[in-house]
């Protein structure tokens, strides 16, 4: 059953000659965002298709927090790495709102194709690299690492509309959903400057695991789990800075 709201979106955004077909797809549980072809992400127009995850409002909260920490800890023109960029929405927002340089990586060439289109659409100069999180190495050092990696446990229930349409490669993060966080943090010291910020989005049920992992790799860092707009533990930030050691 197609909701009246979705019907109104079809009438507004889909050409008349394609509306009947669009409604049939919606009846089969196809995401309205893919039919329209783009979403608004914190004021940025982001193109989406079956090769990238549909940006969620939780991720808007993720990027909203970073400028405040950059200002608080006096990062001037920071070098940022976005690991697992997908549609590029995080990198694009940061580039548009912070004086920074951004490297965005992803293992999916199809996702990077979308991300590059989005960067051009939003007039943002971002460097993209086709490589997996596991294989990434760099002689260049970064100030800030941000990531919203796949974090759903492999055997966890996922709504059909998500599982059957959005790229599974961007959804599932190992048996416990923590695989990519361990991968990233295990190499973070090698790719980050001594003064750095690491910011993750993760499952609201993984606060304990995220705190333990952060302390394992950065025992002297300031670690904080931040709630999303629904009051759920959604983000972990690790600050490694001389000011937090005093």
């Amino acid at each position: 059953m197609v909701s009246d709201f979705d019907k109104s979106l079809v009438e507004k955004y889909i050409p008349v000659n394609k509306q009947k077909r669009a409604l049939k797809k919606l009846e089969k549980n196809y995401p309205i965002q893919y039919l329209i072809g783009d979403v608004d992400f914190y004021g940025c127009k982001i193109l989406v298709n079956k090769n990238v995850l549909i940006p969620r409002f939780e991720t808007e909260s993720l990027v909203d927090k970073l400028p405040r920490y950059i200002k608080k800890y006096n990062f001037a023109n920071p070098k940022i790495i976005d690991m697992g960029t997908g549609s590029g929405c995080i990198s694009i927002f940061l580039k548009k709102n912070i004086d920074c340089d951004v490297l965005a990586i992803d293992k999916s060439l199809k996702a990077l194709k979308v991300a590059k289109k989005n960067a051009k659409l939003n007039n943002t100069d971002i460097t993209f690299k086709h490589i997996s999180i596991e294989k990434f190495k760099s002689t260049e050092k970064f100030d800030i690492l941000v990531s919203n990696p796949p974090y759903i446990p492999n055997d966890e229930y996922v709504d059909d509309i998500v599982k059957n349409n959005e790229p599974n490669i961007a959804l599932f993060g190992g048996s416990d959903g923590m695989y990519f966080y361990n991968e990233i943090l295990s190499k973070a010291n090698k790719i980050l400057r001594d003064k750095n910020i690491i910011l993750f989005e993760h499952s609201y049920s993984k606060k304990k695991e995220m705190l333990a992992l952060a302390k394992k790799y950065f025992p002297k860092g300031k670690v904080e789990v931040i709630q999303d707009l629904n009051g759920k533990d959604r983000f972990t930030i690790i600050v490694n800075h001389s000011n937090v050691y005093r």
Side-chain angles (χ1 to χ4, degrees):
M1 185 69 178
V2 181
S3 70
D4 290 339
F5 178 71
D6 282 351
K7 287 180 181 178
S8 68
L9 291 177
V10 168
E11 291 173 357
K12 182 176 181 179
Y13 293 107
I14 306 296
V16 174
N17 63 331
K18 295 182 180 180
Q19 288 181 7
K20 186 176 181 179
R21 184 181 177 187
L23 290 171
K24 286 184 177 180
K25 282 193 171 185
L26 290 178
E27 288 174 354
K28 295 180 179 180
N29 225 16
Y30 191 76
I32 184 69
Q33 296 91 337
Y34 287 162
L35 284 175
I36 294 172
D38 63 76
V39 298
D40 178 84
F41 181 80
Y42 221 136
C44 304
K45 183 178 181 180
I46 301 296
L47 304 175
V48 292
N49 61 30
K50 64 181 181 179
N51 298 309
V52 297
L53 286 185
I54 299 165
R56 268 65 173 183
F57 71 89
E58 291 93 348
T59 307
E60 291 186 353
S61 297
L62 171 77
V63 297
D64 177 65
K65 300 180 186 311
L66 198 48
R68 176 165 53 90
Y69 280 91
I70 288 173
K71 182 177 181 180
K72 180 179 180 179
Y73 292 103
N74 298 312
F75 284 89
N77 188 30
K79 292 185 178 296
I80 299 175
I81 180 166
D82 174 13
M83 305 191 81
T85 193
S87 66
C89 60
I90 292 175
S91 292
I92 290 165
F93 172 86
L94 294 176
K95 185 65 179 179
K96 286 177 73 74
N97 290 276
I98 301 170
D99 182 15
C100 64
D101 295 318
V102 183
L103 171 64
I105 72 168
D106 205 286
K107 71 183 296 183
S108 169
L109 275 173
K110 292 180 179 179
L112 285 176
K113 184 177 180 180
V114 177
K116 289 176 181 179
K117 287 182 178 179
N118 281 325
K120 184 176 181 180
L121 179 65
N122 286 275
N123 299 309
T124 49
D125 183 14
I126 295 168
T127 301
F128 292 98
K129 186 171 184 178
H130 175 227
I131 193 168
S132 68
I133 288 172
E134 297 95 325
K135 293 182 179 180
F136 179 77
K137 295 179 181 179
S138 177
T139 55
E140 181 182 13
K141 297 287 187 177
F142 299 90
D143 303 290
I144 294 164
L145 188 159
V146 61
S147 184
N148 177 21
Y151 60 69
I152 300 174
N154 292 343
D155 60 354
E156 185 172 298
Y157 173 78
V158 179
D159 288 341
D160 285 345
I161 192 171
V162 175
K163 186 175 181 179
N164 295 339
N165 294 290
E166 299 191 55
N168 282 198
I169 193 175
L171 292 172
F172 297 102
S175 59
D176 62 353
M178 295 297 294
Y179 173 79
F180 287 102
Y181 302 104
N182 188 72
E183 282 290 319
I184 292 170
L185 288 174
S186 68
K187 68 177 63 183
N189 273 317
K190 297 178 182 178
I191 63 175
L192 294 174
R193 293 193 173 103
D194 292 339
K195 173 184 173 182
N196 63 70
I197 295 174
I198 302 169
L199 182 59
F200 291 119
E201 180 176 334
H202 52 79
S203 170
Y204 66 87
S205 65
K206 296 296 182 180
K207 176 180 179 178
K208 181 179 178 181
E209 291 86 345
M210 289 301 303
L211 287 173
L213 203 59
K215 283 300 182 182
K216 174 183 177 181
Y217 290 107
F218 293 94
K220 293 184 178 180
K222 180 181 178 182
V223 184
E224 182 181 0
V225 175
I226 304 169
Q227 294 183 335
D228 62 20
L229 295 176
N230 292 319
K232 294 184 176 182
D233 299 315
R234 183 69 64 178
F235 316 107
T236 292
I237 185 164
I238 308 167
V239 180
N240 297 287
H241 190 291
S242 59
N243 287 352
V244 307
Y245 303 147
R246 295 173 183 173

